[in-house]
């Protein structure tokens, strides 16, 4: 049994480990190792490009979700300013108009928060695996967006508007009842 030179043993080992396309001639020695490494590296680059594209797509979806939730939060903050003004400076005769304003804003916030686009973005991000670890900021934000979305979609817009309107009106009646120490005014 003839002895195999060390470089051929080495090449034979790498041929068994590294992928060699069938259409390329088989190489011996160090050339086989080099060709195998080049092929392996180029295949990994192709895979990394696909992963990078998926990550870029996931990042785009995440950015869109953050944009949607930011706009919804801005609209809700307008409602909060009107609510603060209602409780601090609103003249008694302006309660009905303020109730209508806050009701309209509550409906608009609810509509944005429950839009099908938000649901699609959340679902696409949940199905992807590009959010990182469970405690990563992206993963936590998507999980919180899902919780808020699921909760909000259980309520119809009309109910959200009515709760907002009645809450505003009842606040003014409560202020009057407390001032007169006549809490029967506050009864439904």
């Amino acid at each position: 049994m003839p002895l195999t030179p060390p470089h051929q043993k080495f090449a034979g080992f790498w041929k068994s480990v590294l992928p060699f396309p069938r259409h390329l001639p088989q190489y011996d020695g160090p050339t086989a190792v080099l060709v195998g490494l080049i092929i392996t590296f180029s295949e990994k680059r192709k895979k990394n490009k696909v992963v990078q594209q998926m990550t870029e797509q996931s990042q785009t979806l995440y950015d869109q979700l953050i944009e949607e939730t930011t706009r919804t939060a801005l609209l809700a903050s307008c409602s909060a300013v009107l609510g603060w003004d209602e409780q601090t400076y609103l003249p008694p005769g302006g309660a009905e108009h303020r109730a209508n304003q806050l009701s309209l804003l509550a409906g608009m916030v609810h509509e944005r928060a429950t839009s099908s686009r938000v649901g699609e973005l959340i679902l696409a991000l949940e199905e992807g695996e590009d959010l990182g670890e469970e405690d990563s900021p992206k993963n936590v934000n998507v999980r919180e967006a899902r919780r808020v979305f699921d909760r909000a979609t259980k309520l119809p817009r009309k109910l959200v508007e009515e709760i907002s309107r009645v809450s505003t009106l009842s606040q003014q009646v409560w202020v009057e009842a407390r001032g007169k120490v006549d809490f029967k005014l506050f009864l439904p």
Side-chain angles (χ1 to χ4, degrees):
M1 178 175 198
L3 292 174
T4 308
H7 73 278
Q8 288 182 350
K9 282 184 184 177
F10 186 66
F13 167 75
W14 284 106
K15 281 183 182 180
S16 67
V17 173
L18 298 174
F20 281 90
R22 301 223 185 273
H23 65 279
L24 292 177
Q26 295 296 315
Y27 296 99
D28 286 329
T31 308
V33 173
L34 184 61
V35 169
L37 289 174
I38 290 171
I39 292 170
T40 303
F41 180 72
S42 67
E43 287 178 358
K44 283 186 178 179
R45 275 182 85 192
K46 287 177 187 174
K47 288 179 184 175
N48 286 344
K49 261 188 173 176
V50 169
V51 168
Q52 185 178 11
Q53 287 172 349
M54 287 172 56
T55 303
E56 288 173 7
Q57 181 184 13
S58 177
Q59 184 63 43
T60 302
L61 292 172
Y62 180 75
D63 291 342
Q64 290 173 1
L65 177 64
I66 294 302
E67 177 70 22
E68 287 292 322
T69 56
T70 300
R71 288 184 176 272
T72 303
L74 283 172
L75 192 57
S77 73
C78 295
S79 181
V81 169
L82 286 175
W84 170 81
D85 182 65
E86 177 242 329
Q87 292 185 14
T88 56
Y89 295 107
L90 186 71
E96 183 70 32
H97 184 66
R98 184 55 51 89
N100 291 335
Q101 289 174 329
L102 288 171
S103 174
L104 175 66
L105 280 173
M108 291 169 67
V109 168
H110 183 73
E111 187 175 313
R112 286 190 64 88
T114 60
S115 73
S116 60
R117 177 70 181 144
V118 171
E120 291 166 2
L121 289 170
I122 293 169
L123 184 62
L125 286 166
E126 287 173 336
E127 288 176 350
E129 297 179 9
D130 302 336
L131 295 176
E133 296 180 20
E134 193 170 321
D135 291 339
S136 70
K138 286 183 183 179
N139 208 336
V140 170
N141 285 339
V142 171
R143 197 169 52 239
E144 179 64 12
R146 165 59 72 193
R147 187 186 71 77
V148 169
F149 179 79
D150 287 347
R151 190 170 181 202
T153 53
K154 293 175 181 170
L155 300 173
R157 179 180 175 157
K158 290 263 186 206
L159 177 62
V160 171
E161 289 175 342
E162 186 64 17
I163 289 172
S164 175
R165 191 180 76 70
V166 170
S167 296
T168 304
L169 292 173
S170 63
Q171 171 64 27
Q172 294 304 311
V173 173
W174 173 254
V175 169
E176 182 184 345
R178 193 178 59 193
K180 294 179 180 179
V181 190
D182 182 11
F183 297 104
K184 290 181 183 173
L185 293 174
F186 195 66
L187 292 175

